[in-house]
Amino acid sequence: MKNFSMFISLMAIFVSVRDGKSSERDFPSDTDSPNIILIYCDNLGYGDIEPFGAEVNRTPNLNRMAREGRRFTHFCVTAGVCTPSRASLMTGCYAQRVGMDYNPRDGNVLRPVSPYGLNPNEITIADVLRKQDYATKIIGKWHLGDQPEFLPTRQGFDSFFGLPYSDDMTEATGKRIGDRLGGAQWPPLPLMEDESIIEAPANRNLLTQRETERALEFIEQQQDHPFFLYLPHNMPGSTPEPFAGPRFQGRSANGPWGDVIEELDWSLGQILDKLEHLGLEGQTLVIWTSDNGAPLASGVNPDSPHYSPRRGSNLPLHGEGYTTAEGSFRVPTIMWWPGKIPAGTICNELCTTMDILPTLANLAGTEPPKDRIIDGHDIRPLMFARSGAESPYEVFYYYQGKQLQAVRSGRWKLFLPVDNFSRHPHFGSEEEAEPLLFDVVNDISSSLNVADQHPEVVQRLMDFAEDAREDLGDKGIIGKNERPHGHLDNPGPLR
């Protein structure tokens, strides 16, 4: 009888951990100033990795990370494209708040030799952590401004190795866009060390390998000192031609796109192995996520050697990247910190990339900035599976550039009846938009419009939309709490 009671007690503990409902005493203190590795993929879809349902791409290291860590199934970005998404990650704010949602020269995404960038007066994750004596490094894709004043070395990072913008900014692409923008000078895919170009054009096939090698070097160098490594990989990439290293080309059953994902998985494995080899796994938080969902359409001639039958998968979510669909905004996210984050658990609560800054600030023993609006929240209770922890969001907004297209509260997501919409995931340009209400918890594919059945929910979310327009703005409306982007009068090409 005694053994049976002990068995029941152990089973109860196991179930509580699996359900993410453990009590405070089950975990050590969460204020130990951990090392932090933030891995941010480019255009990786929700269904592109095995822990989130991929059936073709092989991701054994991500499987391990999920087995030893915590999956977040309702983790969202704030934009379906690179620049605004990365601005939100770095600042803890909606891109509309910090003026990085759109500019008249580039549109939604910064182009090379742009006069625009993240305002140096903004406070980034790196700024917050460097004040706490963290070594800070970015390896990979920045895409928040390529002028010296906007580079990561002026935004809290001690050092930078990588590309200042997307890997699709090749010389040919640059010439086309440059001609359209008045003949702007266009550096051909510059690989940078801090604020200098060390190679142009960079070899895209080797980017993941080189980024991984630099990451391992940095971890080794900083093993006795708190560090923040921001690793925004350039892959799977913004180009319809994904690029993998020679060791991975042709290995995947999913073509070049799968090759790239399997190399990214290899990279993660190298990092986890390095942490364990140095005995750092118990004092290092690793976060894996993506800047937006997969773009899906191939866009490549089937006769091309780089042809991929598809550009990723967002299944079982609806829609493609670059839109306000769930498949664009909800991204595959795993957090790993052995001994602190409960192994093999799942968080089904809504949280976002805006939460990373305040969460990391508190983990590092400080606070997020108090002199400005920060839209993100401290999600340590969700990260550590505290009993009763719930989403900190009463409402979350889906913007397409400057246009508010959708609002979420709890399980409900309302697509607003907007006019002159662009890249709408449910309506074509000639259709009349009507309110669409989806239960994105129980209707994961957003296939059943229940607006007629829940008019009170529709009205409540419409009211939230009015709040957003007043605060953050909307197409043709300037929000009262928007802050300015960075701007230069005479941008020049990188040297």
Side-chain angles (χ1 to χ4, degrees):
M1 193 70 179
K2 180 179 179 182
N3 289 339
F4 178 77
S5 298
M6 182 178 294
F7 172 77
I8 293 298
S9 298
L10 288 172
M11 285 301 295
I13 292 172
F14 173 78
V15 170
S16 71
V17 171
R18 291 291 299 180
D19 288 345
K21 298 182 183 297
S22 301
S23 65
E24 294 280 345
R25 68 178 180 274
D26 292 323
F27 300 100
S29 167
D30 52 22
T31 56
D32 293 343
S33 298
N35 304 314
I36 298 158
I37 301 176
L38 174 55
I39 302 172
Y40 206 55
C41 298
D42 189 76
N43 289 352
L44 181 78
Y46 194 90
D48 271 334
I49 62 176
E50 286 184 288
F52 286 79
E55 297 180 352
V56 182
N57 305 320
R58 297 168 296 182
T59 57
N61 294 296
L62 281 159
N63 292 346
R64 168 193 170 189
M65 189 181 183
R67 191 169 58 247
E68 298 175 0
R70 186 161 171 79
R71 284 186 292 144
F72 290 73
T73 62
H74 283 256
F75 194 89
C76 289
V77 295
T78 65
V81 291
C82 302
T83 293
S85 176
R86 291 159 195 270
S88 289
L89 174 71
M90 282 291 103
T91 65
C93 299
Y94 285 102
Q96 290 71 25
R97 177 88 59 210
V98 296
M100 293 297 287
D101 51 331
Y102 176 89
N103 73 69
R105 188 262 196 180
D106 307 304
N108 301 130
V109 177
L110 290 179
R111 306 296 182 180
V113 200
S114 176
Y116 298 96
L118 182 64
N119 195 318
N121 292 327
E122 293 296 339
I123 296 175
T124 68
I125 296 173
D127 287 318
V128 170
L129 295 178
R130 186 155 69 171
K131 287 184 178 179
Q132 293 301 105
D133 197 32
Y134 273 69
T136 59
K137 188 175 185 69
I138 170 176
I139 300 173
K141 172 182 170 180
W142 174 236
H143 213 176
L144 292 175
D146 67 2
Q147 298 303 290
E149 291 84 350
F150 305 138
L151 290 174
T153 44
R154 311 285 181 99
Q155 305 270 15
F157 288 95
D158 297 327
S159 56
F160 169 43
F161 175 81
L163 304 183
Y165 37 73
S166 290
D167 78 305
D168 62 344
M169 295 303 148
T170 61
E171 194 165 9
T173 303
K175 186 178 187 309
R176 288 197 303 272
I177 299 175
D179 290 343
R180 192 168 72 241
L181 297 175
Q185 299 181 66
W186 209 278
L189 201 64
L191 182 65
M192 300 188 70
E193 184 89 59
D194 296 330
E195 298 186 4
S196 300
I197 295 176
I198 59 173
E199 183 180 310
N203 185 333
R204 284 185 284 178
N205 289 326
L206 299 180
L207 285 174
T208 299
Q209 176 184 323
R210 295 174 73 175
E211 289 162 3
T212 304
E213 291 169 352
R214 289 297 189 105
L216 298 178
E217 290 174 7
F218 178 73
I219 294 168
E220 184 96 35
Q221 292 164 359
Q222 301 298 331
Q223 61 181 295
D224 298 321
H225 188 278
F227 63 81
F228 171 49
L229 171 59
Y230 175 40
L231 182 56
H233 282 297
N234 293 277
M235 301 300 160
S238 303
T239 169
E241 303 177 7
F243 291 85
R247 290 174 49 199
F248 293 89
Q249 292 173 10
R251 281 183 36 169
S252 169
N254 194 28
W257 188 270
D259 294 346
V260 166
I261 289 171
E262 294 187 10
E263 184 172 25
L264 291 172
D265 181 80
W266 163 83
S267 173
L268 171 68
Q270 294 291 299
I271 289 169
L272 297 183
D273 288 347
K274 172 64 74 172
L275 293 172
E276 291 196 340
H277 175 72
L278 296 175
L280 297 177
E281 70 275 17
Q283 60 196 81
T284 305
L285 167 64
V286 181
I287 301 173
W288 169 285
T289 189
S290 179
D291 66 344
N292 51 256
L296 302 185
S298 174
V300 182
N301 186 319
D303 296 328
S304 165
H306 299 295
Y307 174 72
S308 184
R310 59 187 175 134
R311 292 180 66 194
S313 170
N314 298 321
L315 293 175
L317 304 176
H318 170 266
E320 63 180 5
Y322 309 155
T323 72
T324 51
E326 283 297 280
S328 181
F329 269 59
R330 211 191 303 183
V331 290
T333 301
I334 307 172
M335 299 189 188
W336 180 90
W337 186 0
K340 297 292 182 74
I341 291 177
T345 58
I346 301 172
C347 176
N348 294 317
E349 297 290 325
L350 171 65
C351 41
T352 81
T353 48
M354 296 186 293
D355 303 328
I356 291 179
L357 184 149
T359 301
L360 297 187
N362 282 286
L363 285 173
T366 186
E367 294 180 325
K370 297 295 185 183
D371 63 342
R372 63 198 64 204
I373 296 174
I374 299 294
D375 296 300
H377 306 272
D378 181 358
I379 58 168
R380 285 178 297 167
L382 294 175
M383 180 186 296
F384 295 110
R386 300 304 190 214
S387 179
E390 296 180 347
S391 172
Y393 287 89
E394 182 183 18
V395 61
F396 175 69
Y397 302 117
Y398 296 72
Y399 276 87
Q400 178 71 20
K402 286 196 167 299
Q403 184 178 69
L404 179 63
Q405 289 192 350
V407 176
R408 177 174 173 179
S409 183
R411 64 192 174 108
W412 301 111
K413 179 179 179 181
L414 177 71
F415 279 93
L416 303 166
V418 295
D419 296 323
N420 301 315
F421 46 80
S422 60
R423 294 193 67 92
H424 200 288
H426 292 278
F427 293 110
S429 59
E430 302 301 320
E431 295 182 83
E432 181 180 350
E434 60 181 351
L436 297 178
L437 182 67
F438 298 110
D439 178 347
V440 293
V441 172
N442 297 305
D443 177 17
I444 194 168
S445 62
S446 302
S447 58
L448 184 62
N449 177 19
V450 294
D452 290 344
Q453 292 96 299
H454 300 279
E456 75 290 350
V457 176
V458 171
Q459 186 57 55
R460 182 165 62 88
L461 271 59
M462 289 281 201
D463 293 342
F464 280 135
E466 286 303 314
D467 295 339
R469 293 183 180 110
E470 181 180 358
D471 181 25
L472 295 167
D474 197 356
K475 198 167 185 178
I477 301 171
I478 298 176
K480 68 178 183 181
N481 291 312
E482 292 184 51
R483 302 197 290 265
H485 48 228
H487 182 265
L488 298 175
D489 290 331
N490 297 299
L494 293 166
R495 303 294 181 190

